[in-house]
Amino acid sequence: MSKHVIRIALAAVILASALSCIRRPLEDMMEQVAIRVDVNVKAVANVSCDVYNENIPVPNVNTDMMRVMVYDPGTRNLLTQSFISQKTEENGDQVLSGMLNISYGNYDFLIYNFDTPTTQVSGENNENSILGYTSEIPDAMRTRYLGTKAGEYDNVHINYEPDHLMVAREHNLRVSPRDTLVVIKTVATTVVDTYYIQIHVEGMQYASSATAIINGLSPSNHFGLNERTLDPTAAVCFEMLKSQDPRLPGENKDVLCAVFNTFGKIPEATSNLHVTFNVVDVAGNLQQKDINLDTVFKSQDAIEHHWLLIDETWTIVNPGQGQQETGGDIIL
């Protein structure tokens, strides 16, 4: 065999050996990850625990879809997003899962429930600016809730109650090159507080309908940072329900009460933190009572359980014996 033929044979052997060792990770690499979110609703006061009055409805915290936002940890800018809706239940929690197309690298993940009729989201393109909030109520509702006190709230933002916004955050999470499916597991908890409020009532038979408005509250949450907005403050309005509290002393157990949602009480809000109760009596008159809530929010019941139990009695006046009437309103 000539030297030329030998050289060709050796070159063929070397080439074949080299080709047999070639790996192609970029072609075979997985470009998807699985997302699994445990929506933890077990510790939501006045919804799943610490329920003071079991005879009134509580807010809904169920969700059927979550939005997965992926941000650059350095710039905090949005890179990609997806929606997940495969729903199961495990240990009493809702679990939502789905797939996300993403390569390897370091990412911030921000995941929240997308089916909130009242809570809105803006500023999604940056993790620092993404904001959960609710709109202001229309003028007709302001008049209905405030009556003769409407002028006192001219400079107050009165917003709708927020729905529970369930949020999961994973910061600077490393997604490595892989040839098998990676599952990212995380837990979502609410950024909204639920409170129970109650006032003892005499003359409940004269009340036709009742509402309340509370101010000194946060209007929104920059939930990428988990920071509540502190300025300006806002108010929320909601319906009051007739019920009874067997814990009250004496024979009369009648109360007006409600469970309401808020982005949170602002800790510094004191002198302007109060509630205005409104009752439309059976004759169509509006009766109102204004109560400062500074002391109530500092009580152990409020701090530990989010119970706002007002320690006084409101007497609903017999509309045939109104104390002071002005344009159909009975002012207390």
Side-chain angles (χ1 to χ4, degrees), residues 105-180:
N106 284 52
Y107 304 100
D108 283 356
F109 290 84
L110 183 66
I111 306 170
Y112 66 95
N113 54 315
F114 195 65
D115 47 359
T116 53
T118 304
T119 301
Q120 303 178 53
V121 174
S122 65
E124 300 98 322
N125 288 333
N126 188 276
E127 193 174 3
N128 291 346
S129 64
I130 191 168
L131 182 74
Y133 67 98
T134 59
S135 300
E136 290 194 49
I137 65 173
D139 290 342
M141 285 187 67
R142 291 177 72 98
T143 301
R144 173 192 168 202
Y145 276 90
L146 294 170
T148 58
K149 291 184 178 289
E152 300 177 19
Y153 283 79
D154 283 345
N155 298 319
V156 177
H157 299 280
I158 305 175
N159 300 340
Y160 289 102
E161 290 180 68
D163 307 297
H164 273 279
L165 190 63
M166 310 299 296
V167 178
R169 306 174 191 85
E170 297 292 340
H171 292 292
N172 203 26
L173 187 66
R174 176 66 179 172
V175 178
S176 301
R178 68 263 179 210
D179 54 11
T180 57

Side-chain angles (χ1 to χ4, degrees), residues 48-212:
S48 57
C49 67
D50 289 336
V51 175
Y52 186 88
N53 187 339
E54 296 182 351
N55 296 319
I56 64 172
V58 299
N60 179 25
V61 292
N62 290 320
T63 182
D64 293 316
M65 180 177 292
M66 302 199 80
R67 189 180 190 184
V68 182
M69 314 291 283
V70 183
Y71 294 94
D72 184 309
T75 65
R76 314 280 280 185
N77 289 331
L78 180 65
L79 298 175
T80 187
Q81 61 178 302
S82 182
F83 295 90
I84 58 175
S85 58
Q86 184 177 337
K87 186 175 178 180
T88 57
E89 185 172 321
E90 297 181 16
N91 301 319
D93 284 344
Q94 305 164 62
V95 176
L96 277 84
S97 57
M99 304 299 294
L100 172 69
N101 290 321
I102 194 171
S103 185
Y104 60 90
N106 284 52
Y107 304 100
D108 283 356
F109 290 84
L110 183 66
I111 306 170
Y112 66 95
N113 54 315
F114 195 65
D115 47 359
T116 53
T118 304
T119 301
Q120 303 178 53
V121 174
S122 65
E124 300 98 322
N125 288 333
N126 188 276
E127 193 174 3
N128 291 346
S129 64
I130 191 168
L131 182 74
Y133 67 98
T134 59
S135 300
E136 290 194 49
I137 65 173
D139 290 342
M141 285 187 67
R142 291 177 72 98
T143 301
R144 173 192 168 202
Y145 276 90
L146 294 170
T148 58
K149 291 184 178 289
E152 300 177 19
Y153 283 79
D154 283 345
N155 298 319
V156 177
H157 299 280
I158 305 175
N159 300 340
Y160 289 102
E161 290 180 68
D163 307 297
H164 273 279
L165 190 63
M166 310 299 296
V167 178
R169 306 174 191 85
E170 297 292 340
H171 292 292
N172 203 26
L173 187 66
R174 176 66 179 172
V175 178
S176 301
R178 68 263 179 210
D179 54 11
T180 57
L181 183 65
V182 171
V183 180
I184 297 175
K185 298 180 180 180
T186 188
V187 178
T189 56
T190 184
V191 299
V192 169
D193 290 338
T194 298
Y195 280 88
Y196 174 81
I197 188 170
Q198 169 182 294
I199 185 169
H200 186 217
V201 171
E202 293 280 359
M204 182 77 87
Q205 67 272 25
Y206 303 125
S208 176
S209 62
T211 59

